[in-house]
Amino acid sequence: MKLRLLALFFLNFLATSEFWSLFVSVNDEAVCLLGARRWLQGEWPYRDWVGHIPPGGYCLTLVWTCLFGSASPAPRILASIISGLTGVFLQLAADRCLPAGRIRYLPWLLWTCAGILDFPILNYHWMATCAVTFSLYQGLLWLQEDKNQHAAGLGAGLALAGWLLQSEGLAVMLMSLALIVRFQRRRVVAWFGSTFVCSLLLWLPILPVAQDCLKQVLAVGGHMAFSRFPYSWGALREFSAHYEGVGWQSGVLPYAAAMSHLSLTYLRYGTFPLVLLGGLLYFEWKKDRNGQYLAWMLLAWTLALSNRLTVQYLNFLTPGWALLLARGLSNGPAKVVWLAILETFLLLGWGARLAFRQTYFVNPISTRDGVYYSLDPGEARAYAALNSWLEAVPPQTPILAFPNCPSIYVLFHLRNAIPEPILVPLAYPAESFARARSILDHDKVEWILYLGPDAPAIASEFHISPRQLEESWEAARQQMTAGYRLVKGQSNGGLYQRLPGR
């Protein structure tokens, strides 16, 4: 049993190692890395910098950074470890709720071939997904054996999920309530006690800033108002638009990789509500205890994340969806045929995408934190220019990189001059910009790096006017760079230096 799980862990680890050098979603990856670095530099989260996520992501990244640093590929290795652990918890759950045979490995295969595909970086979302998957397994144990240790296991999962991300903490809370109410599990005292004790232990490192932490972590109203994306099949049309014009004439590898990605997205995102609602109705009708459990747990998970059910964000629910899908297929006709088709599709698709990335992600991007490789030669040229600009700025120099550039501090070993990791117009209140301006003047911060927006793309994602977005960013640029002169690049994307005497 242990050797089998260890083998599955390493297979997933190896399968995700292809992402270690890719230059993707670096600003999202920088959230926890920047927090860990600032903590190591003597700053405290929530007191010296603003952080609206719970401390778990900072703590885990801090420990990893202390041991192995943050230079490439260290952050992605941690991401692969988290992915591998998620696969192990998923397999443990599958062993408990699926019949013997190859079908029992289908959820793990779905996760390994497609789990972190669209977001292959170190991120607090994947940490929290791992915690919810662990909780789902612990809840299954509690369902099947109403014992104190299983209730306590789910309590530990709830504490861990809430320590990592608010929405996933809510997901495990709803899962727990469903177990207690719908499935009439007892041992509530053990569950509550474990949640309480584990939460105290996990939150202990930020005890000196507990008041500031709770104030910022609980202030999710602004994010919820800014991030409302209900599930919609129309999102598949928008996703498909990324591959318009890709055909056989583009080459066998690009076409095969594109088609496998499209098909996989249609399978996962397109079938999600059918699997969820169909599974709930079917297993309640059949009185299938394990099927009922999986359906109710996925429903709880979905409700907790319902503010942002985009194509990309739905990936964070993959473990629950994969288990429920496999449970449904295990009861259906011709399951041997369907299983063979799915296995072939997943393995061939993974191979095609791997070959594509190995062949086309060849444009180097050099940073002080290591070399990455990009698909886009234009992106590589832009970062080569950025690298040359920042040669004038020594490591550990305070700088304001904005509006949404936390990766600059990490990749080029610079210090964030203000409390906010990002400073985005429309998303941040006017007082944040006033405070940042005051800090720039008080500390005589010498450098500002401004990188303007891709207005159409951002406006489309957040359903606002491109003109309104451009105007707000330009106003912020003028406010921040008053008293500075442009020394590299252009006004809409360049390096500014403080004027002498200012």
Side-chain angles (χ1 to χ4, degrees):
M1 177 70 169
K2 292 181 179 179
L3 286 177
R4 177 175 62 96
L5 293 175
L6 189 62
L8 292 176
F9 170 85
F10 278 110
L11 283 173
N12 183 283
F13 181 86
L14 291 173
T16 55
S17 65
E18 61 158 317
F19 300 120
W20 290 358
S21 65
L22 301 190
F23 195 78
V24 291
S25 302
V26 288
N27 279 325
D28 290 293
E29 185 167 60
V31 173
C32 290
L33 287 170
L34 178 59
R37 281 195 178 178
R38 295 185 78 157
W39 209 343
L40 284 171
Q41 290 164 353
E43 298 182 59
W44 273 92
Y46 313 108
R47 185 192 70 186
D48 298 319
W49 85 80
V50 176
H52 292 298
I53 62 171
Y58 300 136
C59 291
L60 290 179
T61 309
L62 174 68
V63 172
W64 182 261
T65 301
C66 285
L67 293 173
F68 302 104
S70 62
S72 174
R76 302 289 171 82
I77 293 175
L78 179 55
S80 288
I81 291 173
I82 293 167
S83 177
L85 286 174
T86 304
V88 168
F89 297 138
L90 184 57
Q91 188 59 50
L92 286 168
D95 290 343
R96 282 272 180 168
C97 65
L98 295 177
R102 295 207 324 268
I103 190 74
R104 186 171 286 183
Y105 295 94
L106 178 60
W108 176 87
L109 187 63
L110 281 162
W111 173 254
T112 298
C113 292
I116 68 171
L117 170 64
D118 293 329
F119 209 48
I121 58 169
L122 176 64
N123 188 266
Y124 51 86
H125 282 289
W126 292 130
M127 299 177 191
T129 296
C130 185
V132 179
T133 308
F134 168 78
S135 302
L136 193 149
Y137 166 60
Q138 291 297 325
L140 187 58
L141 293 176
W142 192 10
L143 174 79
Q144 295 175 350
E145 302 175 34
D146 198 2
K147 296 181 179 179
N148 282 332
Q149 63 262 38
H150 301 322
L154 182 56
L158 172 56
L160 184 62
W163 182 63
L164 290 165
L165 197 57
Q166 297 96 319
S167 54
E168 271 68 8
L170 175 60
V172 181
M173 173 62 76
L174 293 176
M175 289 178 174
S176 301
L177 294 176
L179 265 171
I180 294 167
V181 177
R182 168 63 183 83
F183 296 99
Q184 300 180 344
R185 296 296 87 184
R186 296 170 295 175
R187 320 293 178 180
V188 176
V189 173
W191 166 77
F192 180 81
S194 176
T195 302
F196 181 75
V197 171
C198 291
S199 295
L200 283 179
L201 293 174
L202 288 170
W203 290 72
L204 195 59
I206 51 89
L207 185 61
V209 291
Q211 185 175 354
D212 292 328
C213 173
L214 291 176
K215 182 180 178 180
Q216 293 178 37
V217 168
L218 295 177
V220 296
H223 173 75
M224 295 293 287
F226 192 71
S227 181
R228 292 181 178 175
F229 299 92
Y231 182 92
S232 171
W233 274 318
L236 290 172
R237 291 194 300 270
E238 297 175 10
F239 180 81
S240 301
H242 293 295
Y243 289 111
E244 283 184 2
V246 178
W248 284 111
Q249 71 279 3
S250 306
V252 174
L253 271 183
Y255 181 75
M259 291 304 101
S260 71
H261 194 192
L262 275 172
S263 302
L264 186 60
T265 302
Y266 271 85
L267 171 66
R268 178 164 47 187
Y269 192 85
T271 69
F272 188 88
L274 304 177
V275 171
L276 173 56
L277 298 178
L280 190 62
L281 293 173
Y282 177 77
F283 290 121
E284 284 290 346
W285 172 55
K286 285 289 188 179
K287 294 183 171 51
D288 182 323
R289 192 76 161 167
N290 288 331
Q292 290 171 333
Y293 170 81
L294 293 176
W296 279 97
M297 296 304 102
L298 183 57
L299 177 62
W301 202 345
T302 305
L303 290 174
L305 275 65
S306 59
N307 68 300
R308 197 176 178 88
L309 294 178
T310 62
V311 169
Q312 187 180 61
Y313 273 71
L314 202 75
N315 294 342
F316 302 131
L317 287 89
T318 294
W321 167 80
L323 282 167
L324 187 57
L325 175 67
R327 183 67 189 178
L329 289 175
S330 70
N331 289 339
K335 67 179 181 182
V336 175
V337 176
W338 278 110
L339 182 59
I341 292 173
L342 269 175
E343 289 170 339
T344 303
F345 164 72
L346 290 169
L347 291 172
L348 289 180
W350 178 84
R353 296 188 301 273
L354 170 65
F356 171 77
R357 282 187 283 270
Q358 293 291 323
T359 305
Y360 288 90
F361 275 77
V362 293
N363 302 287
I365 292 180
S366 297
T367 73
R368 291 172 182 169
D369 226 23
V371 179
Y372 294 85
Y373 292 89
S374 172
L375 174 67
D376 183 1
E379 182 178 51
R381 288 192 295 270
Y383 270 86
L386 180 60
N387 201 0
S388 68
W389 299 352
L390 292 174
E391 286 178 355
V393 186
Q396 304 309 318
T397 300
I399 184 175
L400 169 63
F402 87 110
N404 184 17
C405 313
S407 63
I408 297 299
Y409 307 116
V410 173
L411 295 175
F412 294 95
H413 294 188
L414 300 171
R415 299 190 70 156
N416 188 357
I418 65 171
E420 286 80 8
I422 62 175
L423 196 63
V424 181
L426 300 181
Y428 277 64
E431 53 264 29
S432 296
F433 291 86
R435 177 171 63 173
R437 180 70 236 193
S438 175
I439 292 172
L440 293 178
D441 292 335
H442 179 272
D443 295 344
K444 304 295 183 183
V445 175
E446 184 177 2
W447 301 97
I448 293 177
L449 178 67
Y450 174 81
L451 297 178
D454 180 354
I458 298 174
S460 173
E461 181 179 356
F462 291 100
H463 311 297
I464 57 178
S465 162
R467 181 177 177 181
Q468 180 188 11
L469 188 144
E470 288 176 341
E471 290 176 350
S472 66
W473 284 49
E474 175 59 18
R477 183 193 68 81
Q478 292 184 17
Q479 180 184 7
M480 291 298 107
T481 60
Y484 288 75
R485 64 186 178 94
L486 181 67
V487 294
K488 298 287 184 180
Q490 301 175 349
S491 61
N492 65 343
L495 182 66
Y496 293 79
Q497 187 175 22
R498 194 175 189 86
L499 291 169
R502 296 299 295 267

